[in-house]
Amino acid sequence: MSPRLTLSLPVLLAATAAGAVEFHAAISVAPQTVTEDRGSPYYVGPPTVDTPRRSGRNDLQLRMQEGGFNAQGILRQEVADGQRPGYHGIANQFYYDGQITPGLGWTVGKKVMPWGVGFGFKPLDVIQREDRRGINPPPLVGVPLVALERLTATDAWTVAWTRPGQGNGETDSRDSSLALHWYRLADGDDLHGVMRVSQRRRLEAGFGATHIVGDEWSVHGAALYQRRTRQRTNTLPDNGGTFATTDPMVEKTGGGGVKSVAGVQWTGDSGLSVLAEAWYDADAWRRRDWQALDALTARQRALAGFAPPAAIDGNVAWSSQAYQATNLLRENLLLRLAWDDRDGFKPYADVLFTPSDGGRVYTVAASWQGNRQRFTLGARQAGGAADSAYAQAPIRRVLWAEWQLALF
């Protein structure tokens, strides 16, 4: 458990009793059920991979604010079939917002800082890097930073030094960087510009906008150039090998690449909305990359009875890490139908397509928000063409639910 979170809790409760701060607490229960596809070439069972069929997280969420000081933390219990419960303390945010002069402010601490436009994918989100397609994701965890913000009548400028002094990190979210964000609201249109300099990516720069058309339509788009692309790939297809004795999945650095998104949304007076959005991710695999991995996995499976089972299962399990990527393929298309009844009930259904291989992901979910409670139910299933990446995923279906109650 985080010492900072543990030591701060008595102080926050005492301050609340004295009426000095604004304090909120909530509890949430979020169970999840997973259905594996035992016919998938990437499925590996126990003891090599033991995926719990049922799991869940139970959170006590704490938030406080006093002047410019803000803190958000979670005390979490994680449960899963066949495993002992785990307990964690998470400091989501812990920062101070100050002011130098009117219109010029500063921030220091750990803060959630999402940037850019997009629904299923946000290329300009170069600081937070939120996975927009996560299944029932928990509250975001902020990034340590020092920032300056300049506000004028039409523009907002933010300069952020993230993870000061940390240097080159093993992932983008852990990489120290200097980033700039520009925002303007012009005649109802949102304009965004970003630039980020880091050791992992060198230079990232992009622009995005949202344009409102009449009372019911909106269009949005964004593009980001990255001097370096990063892709986690299996080295065996490149070197002609069949088995590895250590994890062959390594991150490779490539030349310049682009991430982009474009979408259109219609929203009617009844609360019904339709979204169509397409995006491209240069960090994701191409169709031929998946075909090479499929061929490697088939060669490994064909040696059953000749090669040790542990070697086959271990190598297939290593290859299945490819399914941890945010986007499995570069080209993606999302169609979404949603409804907001204005009384807290919000159902939706969407389909994600990967046109290059015919893959599909179906999602249906609904939430209801009351004064103090919130309920969520959802299901997601992978499918599509038999040889597509999603259709061959070792996880076929996920069902989830969440109940949240605001205590005060």
Side-chain angles (χ1 to χ4, degrees):
M1 183 178 296
S2 167
R4 178 188 297 171
L5 187 59
T6 305
L7 294 174
S8 297
L9 183 57
V11 177
L12 300 184
L13 292 174
T16 302
V21 300
E22 181 180 345
F23 186 73
H24 303 277
I27 57 174
S28 65
V29 178
Q32 178 176 287
T33 300
V34 169
T35 301
E36 296 175 299
D37 183 1
R38 294 175 180 265
S40 164
Y42 296 98
Y43 169 78
V44 177
T48 305
V49 177
D50 189 6
T51 302
R53 176 173 172 77
R54 290 180 293 271
S55 62
R57 65 174 189 267
N58 306 312
D59 290 351
L60 171 61
Q61 302 178 25
L62 307 169
R63 292 189 297 112
M64 68 84 63
Q65 179 180 5
E66 181 182 18
F69 177 71
N70 294 267
Q72 177 188 5
I74 293 175
L75 302 176
R76 174 170 295 162
Q77 179 197 51
E78 293 182 333
V79 295
D81 284 348
Q83 300 179 12
R84 297 181 61 181
Y87 298 88
H88 311 278
I90 302 169
N92 298 77
Q93 299 192 91
F94 201 90
Y95 65 91
Y96 190 89
D97 284 332
Q99 187 179 72
I100 301 173
T101 61
L104 181 62
W106 58 273
T107 298
V108 62
K110 186 178 185 181
K111 185 175 184 179
V112 172
M113 189 171 286
W115 290 347
V117 299
F119 185 86
F121 186 56
K122 295 175 66 176
L124 304 187
D125 192 16
V126 295
I127 299 298
Q128 193 64 42
R129 299 187 185 271
E130 175 188 2
D131 181 0
R132 300 286 295 176
R133 293 283 298 167
I135 294 177
N136 197 29
L140 294 173
V141 176
V143 178
L145 54 82
V146 176
L148 288 174
E149 185 173 36
R150 174 64 173 169
L151 301 176
T152 70
T154 59
D155 300 85
W157 296 84
T158 302
V159 179
W161 181 19
T162 67
R163 297 193 176 275
Q166 186 162 317
N168 188 17
E170 60 182 15
T171 64
D172 288 321
S173 61
R174 295 187 175 275
D175 195 29
S176 181
S177 70
L178 184 64
L180 170 69
H181 178 244
W182 165 74
Y183 169 79
R184 171 176 290 179
L185 179 62
D187 296 326
D189 296 337
D190 294 324
L191 306 178
H192 299 258
V194 301
M195 185 171 65
R196 178 176 181 264
V197 179
S198 67
Q199 292 189 37
R200 277 178 56 83
R201 298 286 184 172
R202 291 295 189 255
L203 174 67
E204 296 173 281
F207 178 81
T210 299
H211 177 62
I212 306 300
V213 183
D215 296 328
E216 297 181 334
W217 292 88
S218 68
V219 294
H220 63 268
L224 177 77
Y225 170 77
Q226 297 176 309
R227 181 63 186 85
R228 283 183 173 179
T229 56
R230 294 277 183 166
Q231 187 180 87
R232 191 166 175 80
T233 186
N234 193 310
T235 59
L236 289 176
D238 293 335
N239 61 32
T242 300
F243 290 107
T245 56
T246 58
D247 189 353
M249 296 292 290
V250 299
E251 186 180 68
K252 291 187 176 181
T253 302
V258 173
K259 295 182 178 182
S260 59
V261 66
V264 57
Q265 180 168 319
W266 171 85
T267 304
D269 293 336
S270 65
L272 189 68
S273 65
V274 179
L275 169 75
E277 186 177 72
W279 64 86
Y280 179 86
D281 183 359
D283 282 338
W285 283 17
R286 295 159 296 189
R287 174 60 178 145
R288 65 172 179 263
D289 298 323
W290 278 104
Q291 289 174 330
L293 192 67
D294 292 346
L296 171 66
T297 304
R299 292 200 307 271
Q300 294 167 343
R301 293 292 192 188
L303 292 174
F306 299 95
I312 298 174
D313 287 348
N315 275 263
V316 173
W318 281 328
S319 293
S320 68
Q321 296 176 82
Y323 283 94
Q324 298 174 5
T326 300
N327 294 308
L328 297 191
L329 286 117
R330 295 188 174 189
E331 302 87 3
N332 299 268
L333 173 64
L334 178 69
L335 301 179
R336 187 176 191 269
L337 177 67
W339 181 50
D340 183 350
D341 75 346
R342 309 296 203 278
D343 290 321
F345 181 56
K346 298 180 179 180
Y348 75 88
D350 66 40
V351 183
L352 175 69
F353 299 87
T354 50
S356 63
D357 72 348
R360 297 178 186 177
V361 180
Y362 306 91
T363 306
V364 292
S367 65
W368 177 82
Q369 176 74 59
N371 290 331
R372 296 178 56 200
Q373 299 189 71
R374 185 176 187 270
F375 297 91
T376 302
L377 290 171
R380 177 171 292 179
Q381 178 157 329
D387 62 345
S388 66
Y390 279 116
Q392 297 185 90
I395 301 298
R396 171 65 65 185
R397 184 182 306 110
V398 180
L399 307 176
W400 73 87
E402 184 174 18
W403 169 67
Q404 187 174 112
L405 173 66
L407 301 177
F408 50 86

